[in-house]
Amino acid sequence: MAERTPRNNKKLNWGQTSKTAVFWMLVILLPFVFYQMIDSGREDYVEVNYSVYARQLEQGNVVEVEITSGQYVQGEFRQAVTAQDGNRVTRFRVLFPIQNSEMLIQRIEDQGVPIRAKEPKTSFGTVFISLLPWVILIGLWLFFFRQVQAGGNRAFAFGKSKAKLLTGDTPKVTFGDVAGADEAKAELQEIIEFLKDPQKFQRLGGRLPKGVLLVGPPGTGKTLLARAVAGEAARPFFSMSGSDFVEMFVGVGASRVRDLFEQGKAHAPCIIFIDEIDAVGRHRGAGLGGGHDEREQTLNQLLVEMDGFESNEGVILIAATNRPDVLDPALLRPGRFDRHVVVDMPDVRGREMILKVHAREKPLSKDVDLATLAKATPGLAGADLANIVNEAALLAARRAKQHLEMVDLEDAKDKVMLGVERRSLVLTDEERKLTAYHEAGHAIVSVRIPGLDPIHKITIVPRGQALGITVSLPEEDRRTHTKKFILGQLAMAYGGRVAEEIIFGTDKITTGAAQDIRHATELARRMVTEFGMSEIVGPMAVGEREQHIFLGREISRRHEVSEKTAEVVDAEIKRLLDEALHRAREILQHERELLDTMAQALLDRETLDRDEVKLLVEGKALPPKTAVIPTPLPVAKPEKKTAPGPGTVLGTPPAEPAGA
């Protein structure tokens, strides 16, 4: 990358600094010099004591006097007088012992000596204080004037771009540091090659793309990809956030857009990266200020700069957002953003590569299997995986280990995906028993329904806000889900509530199934209204849709179906949920013995993994429990039990990208 000095890291110019210091010293010393020039023209008077003055006054040797403030007297002798220091004095100065003494003044008048009154002499400090505001104002005016002439480094630079220019001394991130986004890397690699060798593509009439939009969920590595482009490209790279354009001052955003592209054209060919472009690129015409809204003016200027009358050849704009639906259509069209690169959630292979990238500088034990860890983390983005590796390193350090072991990574994964263990939360025996049967009900229904994801872990150790958790993880990533799978998910969601009814009776069911019921209801509603999986309603999208309009218009709700259709939809949702509840009840009543066995195993061990669940389902005894030394926790008082309930089913929501 070409060596350039960034604006924020300029080396100190001692020559310019010295000139500036001398200039300000002259400005400050100017009042002192001015005062000295005025005062230097006056002849000094010699100080004499009052006795000498009184004697010369009585002898008539005083020609005239000048009195200041009624106490300070200066005048001239007719004949020189020898002062106390032995020098001959013609002009004298004396201080009256009493201020405004009429008697002393009367004595002067009696001798016929002319008297002149004079205003007190202005002191040097008074002159300086009176001139200081003018000196400051003139100095500030000169400073701003010099700054504007020099290009407005920061003064009066509201309209200047805040973009950072990445240079050769910036820590480099390359494509080797990015994993799990092979298609996006290929698209951006082509941009870099175009910048390095444009003739290769222009031979066949190709032109340089003007814009690349990176779209994807949070944490998938959009900004990291842009940093990798900066590290790979041997061209200037400007980085800026979308929120940096909009300020409280009118017209500042548009001015900064102009300045940004002027800098880009001066350094062409170059790359400009705008992170979170949705902060400035939203739909126009939705704001209270209409077309005069500051954000819309900024967007208008951005549209003109990207594809207007003036060409910006050699300037490529890369932008990132996780909300492409709110962007203005004029911004997304070809000619402005020629390419839309989707940075999606990584698959199992991508997750393994991401884990390797983040773990390559950490000491790993021989038992670490990142492929297994990748399979156990479906739906997690790159940022989540980086957090797992970091949490594992912190956990291993807390346990005084020299290497990261697989158990550290597993515990870190559970912490990130399920929440922190709350072992300080003391449960009563009845609560532990109820939680054990609740989670066992989820697990047994999941095991007995074919096609569902296998059980990964069951625990009655409180995590987060749940008193117990049943975790199902898919053996492979799913992008779509069948109706059979979703119906099985509904039955599994009701497994905990049904287990409570069977064991404790309908009068002792708890609020622990609230989240399960909410999840099942939402799933059934989507089956009917979105997925078209209802034979009665048919394959149509129905329901109400809220239209969220920005300031200036009211928030309205549009009814897309009739009241009769809405009743049919509600009845169909109720039917699906009743069938799922009945299916779960049949399974658990038939597996009552297994329910008791699994609940007792949870009470004894608190956590069951996949292999232990498989042994229980096959009717085999569990191996002896190994002693585990828990991580020491700070002593705390028992918390008040405010958790919503014992059961939480974690799985992949259907018909959405993994991890949504």
Side-chain angles (χ1 to χ4, degrees):
M1 181 176 294
E3 186 69 23
R4 298 181 183 272
T5 303
R7 182 180 303 172
N8 296 333
N9 297 323
K10 286 186 176 180
K11 295 183 179 179
L12 188 60
N13 189 337
W14 290 105
Q16 183 65 27
T17 305
S18 302
K19 292 180 181 179
T20 305
V22 171
F23 168 77
W24 284 108
M25 290 176 63
L26 291 176
V27 171
I28 295 174
L29 292 177
L30 183 62
F32 298 88
V33 177
F34 177 73
Y35 179 82
Q36 292 296 333
M37 290 175 62
I38 295 177
D39 197 55
S40 62
R42 303 175 181 175
E43 184 178 350
D44 291 336
Y45 289 82
V46 178
E47 189 80 23
V48 298
N49 57 40
Y50 181 77
S51 300
V52 173
Y53 158 76
R55 187 166 56 251
Q56 296 300 321
L57 180 64
E58 293 292 336
Q59 295 175 0
N61 193 28
V62 177
V63 178
E64 63 178 359
V65 295
E66 186 180 86
I67 301 177
T68 303
S69 301
Q71 188 177 10
Y72 299 96
V73 180
Q74 62 186 21
E76 184 178 351
F77 295 129
R78 284 190 175 89
Q79 296 179 359
V81 176
T82 303
Q84 56 267 26
D85 57 358
N87 295 324
R88 303 288 289 176
V89 177
T90 301
R91 293 175 177 268
F92 68 89
R93 179 185 294 111
V94 66
L95 177 64
F96 278 179
I98 303 175
Q99 186 176 6
N100 296 325
S101 175
E102 296 181 0
M103 181 184 67
L104 297 178
I105 298 176
Q106 186 64 39
R107 290 180 61 184
I108 299 175
E109 293 178 348
D110 293 343
Q111 294 294 330
V113 176
I115 301 176
R116 289 185 302 173
K118 185 180 179 182
E119 290 291 334
K121 178 183 176 183
T122 304
S123 65
F124 177 79
T126 304
V127 174
F128 176 74
I129 293 175
S130 62
L131 293 178
L132 184 60
W134 293 99
V135 172
I136 294 176
L137 289 176
I138 295 173
L140 288 176
W141 181 82
L142 291 174
F143 173 75
F144 289 149
F145 184 73
R146 286 167 57 87
Q147 292 295 93
V148 171
Q149 283 186 331
N153 199 8
R154 278 300 152 213
F156 295 140
F158 301 114
K160 295 297 180 181
S161 169
K162 293 184 178 181
K164 300 179 180 64
L165 176 60
L166 302 184
T167 58
D169 56 353
T170 305
K172 295 182 62 175
V173 176
T174 64
F175 281 151
D177 301 312
V178 182
D182 296 338
E183 293 81 5
K185 287 165 62 175
E187 290 282 341
L188 295 175
Q189 183 65 45
E190 185 175 335
I191 299 294
I192 295 173
E193 293 178 0
F194 203 119
L195 287 172
K196 292 181 177 180
D197 186 13
Q199 289 78 15
K200 174 182 177 181
F201 300 88
Q202 292 174 349
R203 283 196 302 267
L204 299 179
R207 63 173 179 84
L208 187 68
K210 292 186 177 181
V212 178
L213 183 64
L214 303 178
V215 180
T220 51
K222 299 182 294 296
T223 305
L224 184 64
L225 276 170
R227 292 175 59 192
V229 171
E232 294 283 347
R235 293 292 182 267
F237 187 94
F238 294 90
S239 175
M240 194 172 180
S241 172
S243 60
D244 290 337
F245 289 106
V246 182
E247 294 277 0
M248 62 177 292
F249 303 104
V250 177
V252 171
S255 176
R256 287 180 176 173
V257 171
R258 287 191 295 270
D259 183 69
L260 176 62
F261 278 87
E262 286 177 3
Q263 294 183 48
K265 286 185 284 187
H267 294 81
C270 71
I271 298 175
I272 297 176
F273 173 64
I274 301 179
D275 200 5
E276 303 296 345
I277 196 174
D278 52 274
V280 70
R282 290 175 178 266
H283 281 275
R284 290 171 292 179
L288 183 62
H292 298 285
D293 182 58
E294 169 65 9
R295 181 187 52 78
E296 293 189 4
Q297 295 287 6
T298 306
L299 175 58
N300 292 337
Q301 186 63 41
L302 181 61
L303 296 177
V304 172
E305 292 291 343
M306 291 189 69
D307 190 18
F309 279 101
E310 294 185 9
S311 62
N312 290 315
E313 295 296 335
V315 178
I316 296 180
L317 179 63
I318 299 179
T321 181
N322 51 26
R323 303 184 62 190
D325 55 305
V326 303
L327 296 180
D328 194 270
L331 187 65
L332 300 177
R333 71 164 177 83
R336 292 196 172 107
F337 281 110
D338 300 289
R339 297 185 179 183
H340 296 184
V341 178
V342 177
V343 187
D344 206 350
M345 290 290 185
D347 55 12
V348 61
R349 177 175 170 272
R351 292 196 299 271
E352 182 180 356
M353 294 172 62
I354 293 174
L355 289 171
K356 289 181 179 179
V357 168
H358 292 290
R360 64 188 177 189
E361 296 183 358
K362 295 178 175 59
L364 300 180
S365 178
K366 294 182 179 180
D367 67 334
V368 173
D369 187 358
L370 296 180
T372 302
L373 186 63
K375 293 179 180 178
T377 53
L380 295 191
D384 300 317
L385 299 173
N387 191 27
I388 288 178
V389 177
N390 183 64
E391 288 288 346
L394 298 178
L395 187 58
R398 196 187 317 162
R399 294 171 175 173
K401 296 182 179 180
Q402 301 298 323
H403 298 83
L404 271 70
E405 300 177 358
M406 192 63 185
V407 64
D408 301 321
L409 291 168
E410 287 286 347
D411 292 343
K413 179 204 67 176
D414 292 342
K415 180 179 180 180
V416 172
M417 296 181 65
L418 310 179
V420 182
E421 287 188 354
R422 299 170 60 194
R423 292 189 176 273
S424 59
L425 179 61
V426 180
L427 301 180
T428 63
D429 293 339
E430 183 178 356
E431 288 173 332
R432 292 184 75 251
K433 183 177 180 181
L434 188 145
T435 304
Y437 274 100
H438 185 107
E439 301 306 329
H442 283 308
I444 293 174
V445 173
S446 177
V447 169
R448 292 309 184 192
I449 295 180
L452 292 185
D453 296 329
I455 296 297
H456 175 70
K457 179 179 291 188
I458 314 172
T459 180
I460 60 172
V461 177
R463 284 182 177 271
Q465 293 186 342
L467 300 183
I469 298 175
T470 300
V471 185
S472 298
L473 293 180
E475 295 181 338
E476 57 184 14
D477 293 336
R478 285 193 179 94
R479 298 299 178 183
T480 59
H481 298 82
T482 63
K483 180 180 179 180
K484 179 180 178 181
F485 177 85
I486 300 176
L487 292 176
Q489 288 277 70
L490 293 179
M492 178 185 176
Y494 280 109
R497 166 55 62 87
V498 172
E500 293 180 14
E501 293 179 0
I502 293 175
I503 302 301
F504 303 99
T506 56
D507 294 337
K508 291 187 178 182
I509 58 175
T510 66
T511 60
Q515 182 64 28
D516 301 328
I517 296 173
R518 186 180 299 112
H519 170 68
T521 304
E522 177 64 22
L523 202 54
R525 180 174 297 278
R526 297 187 66 186
M527 288 181 64
V528 177
T529 61
E530 295 182 30
F531 306 151
M533 293 182 176
S534 170
E535 297 178 358
I536 297 178
V537 176
M540 59 179 291
V542 296
E544 294 179 343
R545 183 178 66 187
E546 290 187 358
Q547 292 180 324
H548 294 281
I549 308 301
F550 296 96
L551 296 175
R553 305 177 189 175
E554 62 180 358
I555 297 178
S556 62
R557 171 175 290 185
R558 184 175 69 187
H559 292 268
E560 297 180 335
V561 296
S562 64
E563 295 295 335
K564 182 178 180 180
T565 304
E567 292 179 0
V568 174
V569 169
D570 291 339
E572 188 67 5
I573 294 173
K574 180 69 164 52
R575 181 185 67 82
L576 291 174
L577 296 178
D578 289 342
E579 289 180 357
L581 182 66
H582 178 70
R583 186 179 185 184
R585 183 176 288 112
E586 284 186 343
I587 293 175
L588 292 180
Q589 286 176 346
H590 184 266
E591 300 288 349
R592 172 60 188 273
E593 182 179 352
L594 178 59
L595 179 63
D596 293 332
T597 303
M598 190 173 293
Q600 186 60 44
L602 282 172
L603 291 173
D604 294 339
R605 301 177 178 242
E606 291 189 336
T607 300
L608 298 176
D609 58 21
R610 179 174 181 174
D611 295 333
E612 291 172 333
V613 171
K614 184 178 180 180
L615 290 175
L616 292 176
V617 171
E618 294 175 353
K620 299 178 182 179
L622 296 179
K625 183 169 57 174
T626 57
V628 178
I629 302 177
T631 304
L633 294 173
V635 179
K637 296 180 180 180
E639 298 182 18
K640 184 178 179 180
K641 293 179 282 297
T642 58
T648 301
V649 180
L650 299 182
T652 307
E656 288 185 353

